[in-house]
Amino acid sequence: AVGSKKSTVNRYVEKLEDSPTGPTATTVSIASLVSSTKVDFDTMMYLSRFGFGLGNFDPVMSLEVEQYMERQGHRKYEVRCALRLPDSAIPVTDKQELQVDALFDVLPLTWSCWKRLYELRENLYEPVKECLGASYDKHFKNAPLALRIGISGTLERLDLWVQRLGELVSEKLLPGRCLALILRFLDAPAPEEAEDGTLRPKANFGSKKCL
């Protein structure tokens, strides 16, 4: 339609497709998501909705576990999550060229989810461990996961483990497939495209709430 706006993601995709030489210095960050293993296009688009690969920066992640509740005879832990822009300044040229200014409306993105320990172990811990391979012990040597209920300090150990996982995401030490798995497991509310073509957050509590 005349006068309609294209979304930030669509404009970025067109920039990649129109490039005669492929990713350039300003688009290489999305290629870095697939450095060791190829990531399918849908996964890249999914990650881009959270701001990953849209410039010379990626969002940083904060995770924590502070409480649990007994529900229908099962113990569930609340994982509180946040994605925000890094503290480092974003060059104006990058914002203009990649048109990622809409990210300032999307981030920070905060949400929470409730998971049982076996879900955290089987659907998060094990895939992350497989992804990191031999380097897992190095990254998590000071944050061992509580693998079963009843271990002293289970809550504290879970909190340390997810905090360390968030640090690895922020340090860009995980490939794109693993990052997408983490976001999906944590029920991350992927921003949706508004009528004006911009992305809008779908956090389940206020964007200004701090972790």
Side-chain angles (χ1 to χ4, degrees), residues 114-206:
W114 292 85
K115 301 292 182 180
R116 292 176 61 182
L117 183 59
Y118 90 89
E119 293 176 311
L120 290 162
R121 182 183 65 245
E122 294 183 3
N123 300 322
L124 188 61
Y125 162 78
E126 290 181 0
V128 168
K129 185 175 182 181
E130 180 179 353
C131 175
L132 291 172
S135 66
Y136 175 87
D137 291 338
K138 177 184 71 174
H139 292 303
F140 286 91
K141 64 179 180 181
N142 295 321
L145 181 70
L147 297 179
R148 59 184 177 85
I149 295 177
I151 297 178
S152 177
T154 296
L155 182 65
E156 292 77 10
R157 292 176 69 172
L158 276 176
D159 184 44
L160 284 175
W161 191 86
V162 298
Q163 284 187 42
R164 181 59 185 140
L165 180 62
E167 291 171 357
L168 292 185
V169 171
S170 301
E171 295 166 7
K172 304 179 183 180
L173 295 176
L174 296 170
R177 286 186 182 279
C178 189
L179 176 56
L181 179 147
I182 292 169
L183 291 171
R184 288 186 171 114
F185 172 76
L186 295 174
D187 304 325
E192 292 187 341
E193 190 172 323
E195 291 183 0
D196 63 357
T198 59
L199 297 177
R200 290 291 182 263
K202 291 177 57 181
N204 57 11
F205 50 81

Side-chain angles (χ1 to χ4, degrees), residues 4-172:
S4 64
K5 296 182 180 179
K6 294 181 180 179
S7 71
T8 299
V9 173
N10 288 338
R11 290 194 299 263
Y12 181 69
V13 171
E14 290 179 357
K15 181 178 179 65
L16 283 179
E17 293 175 342
D18 292 342
S19 174
T21 58
T24 65
T26 57
T27 63
V28 72
S29 58
I30 201 167
S32 69
L33 295 175
V34 299
S35 56
S36 58
T37 56
K38 291 185 178 180
V39 177
D40 61 86
F41 184 78
D42 289 341
T43 297
M44 289 193 294
M45 289 299 95
Y46 171 75
L47 293 175
S48 71
R49 285 191 171 272
F50 297 97
F52 290 97
L54 288 180
N56 293 330
F57 63 91
D58 281 325
V60 294
M61 172 176 273
S62 299
L63 299 172
E64 65 179 25
V65 177
E66 288 188 342
Q67 65 175 334
Y68 65 84
M69 294 183 65
E70 301 289 344
R71 295 184 176 181
Q72 299 179 339
H74 300 294
R75 178 173 297 182
K76 288 193 172 184
Y77 296 86
E78 184 188 24
V79 185
R80 298 182 61 190
C81 320
L83 286 172
R84 66 181 188 278
L85 291 171
D87 295 332
S88 58
I90 304 169
V92 175
T93 53
D94 284 352
K95 284 181 59 181
Q96 291 174 340
E97 185 171 359
L98 295 182
Q99 300 177 333
V100 298
D101 51 293
L103 287 178
F104 290 97
D105 294 326
V106 173
L107 301 175
L109 183 67
T110 55
W111 74 97
S112 66
C113 62
W114 292 85
K115 301 292 182 180
R116 292 176 61 182
L117 183 59
Y118 90 89
E119 293 176 311
L120 290 162
R121 182 183 65 245
E122 294 183 3
N123 300 322
L124 188 61
Y125 162 78
E126 290 181 0
V128 168
K129 185 175 182 181
E130 180 179 353
C131 175
L132 291 172
S135 66
Y136 175 87
D137 291 338
K138 177 184 71 174
H139 292 303
F140 286 91
K141 64 179 180 181
N142 295 321
L145 181 70
L147 297 179
R148 59 184 177 85
I149 295 177
I151 297 178
S152 177
T154 296
L155 182 65
E156 292 77 10
R157 292 176 69 172
L158 276 176
D159 184 44
L160 284 175
W161 191 86
V162 298
Q163 284 187 42
R164 181 59 185 140
L165 180 62
E167 291 171 357
L168 292 185
V169 171
S170 301
E171 295 166 7
K172 304 179 183 180

